[in-house]
Amino acid sequence: MPKPHRGREPDPPPKGADQPPRGDLEQSGPPAEEAEPGPDAATATAVPEDKYAAALREAEDRWRRALADLDNQRKRHARELEREAAAERARTAAAFLPVIDNLELALSHATADPDAIVEGVRAVRDQAVNVLERLGYPRHAERGVSFDPARHEVVGVVQDSDADPNTVVQVLRPGYGEAERQLRPAAVTVAKRE
């Protein structure tokens, strides 16, 4: 290849070939070291960093405070639930104190007339049933009603010509409560379908 003359521009490289860098264009590569920034340049770049760092510190502080508040709220709620449960237990126990008093009174008269004792025990039972009803758990021990799986538990099936099929013939253990507030279902025997 002939050498170009000094005053003449070199021929352009073929299409697709890498072009050599020109001296009048900036070269890519590692940046040249810059002169030390002046005092104004230092404050100009430090302001955004300080601004972001301060915002980050503030967000972290708010986040930590929110976590602490949430934990305190959870602890307060747990203490309040425990106080409410203790108060409810005390209220329920206090409702049964007269029943216990009457049972003790009946036992102190155990040597008296047996009919009077039986009558006294019935009265105490009625008093206990009344307490449960006031607490929201009414007694249900009805016979002759249709079987309801939400209120009854079948413990036996009997052939009874006098009863309609699928009705309660006998209540072996009464139930207490209604619907979702049920302490227990009534244990019953049900008439068989023919």
Side-chain angles (χ1 to χ4, degrees):
M1 194 170 177
K3 284 187 175 184
H5 298 309
R6 279 192 89 163
R8 204 174 127 206
E9 292 258 340
D11 292 334
K15 222 177 196 181
D18 286 339
Q19 296 192 10
R22 289 178 31 194
D24 60 338
L25 296 177
E26 286 187 24
Q27 301 274 332
S28 63
E33 288 200 25
E34 296 179 12
E36 300 245 347
D40 293 338
T43 55
T45 57
V47 169
E49 286 181 23
D50 287 345
K51 178 180 165 185
Y52 294 131
L56 180 61
R57 281 192 301 275
E58 182 182 339
E60 283 179 353
D61 184 52
R62 285 194 317 238
W63 175 69
R64 290 180 197 282
R65 286 175 190 265
L67 282 179
D69 286 346
L70 182 63
D71 191 46
N72 290 338
Q73 180 68 22
R74 182 187 57 77
K75 289 175 183 174
R76 272 193 305 272
H77 185 64
R79 284 193 303 268
E80 186 176 324
L81 281 177
E82 183 57 37
R83 274 195 307 268
E84 289 295 321
E88 189 61 28
R89 282 193 303 272
R91 186 175 77 82
T92 303
F96 272 101
L97 287 177
V99 174
I100 294 170
D101 292 342
N102 287 334
L103 281 173
E104 287 177 351
L105 186 61
L107 287 173
S108 69
H109 295 290
T111 58
D113 179 25
D115 290 337
I117 298 292
V118 169
E119 201 56 43
V121 170
R122 277 195 188 113
V124 173
R125 185 214 45 211
D126 292 343
Q127 185 180 24
V129 168
N130 188 20
V131 168
L132 282 174
E133 189 170 341
R134 283 196 326 251
L135 292 173
Y137 300 103
R139 177 182 172 127
H140 53 91
E142 308 86 13
R143 287 183 286 175
V145 298
S146 293
F147 170 72
D148 180 2
R151 295 181 56 200
H152 302 116
E153 177 185 343
V154 176
V155 294
V157 178
V158 295
Q159 184 73 34
D160 190 346
S161 58
D162 294 338
D164 292 335
N166 208 27
T167 58
V168 174
V169 175
Q170 183 181 12
V171 177
L172 304 172
R173 184 189 70 214
Y176 292 91
E178 296 292 336
E180 67 276 350
R181 288 187 45 132
Q182 186 170 183
L183 286 176
R184 73 173 186 203
V188 297
T189 57
V190 178
K192 187 189 294 186
R193 291 186 180 150
E194 295 181 14

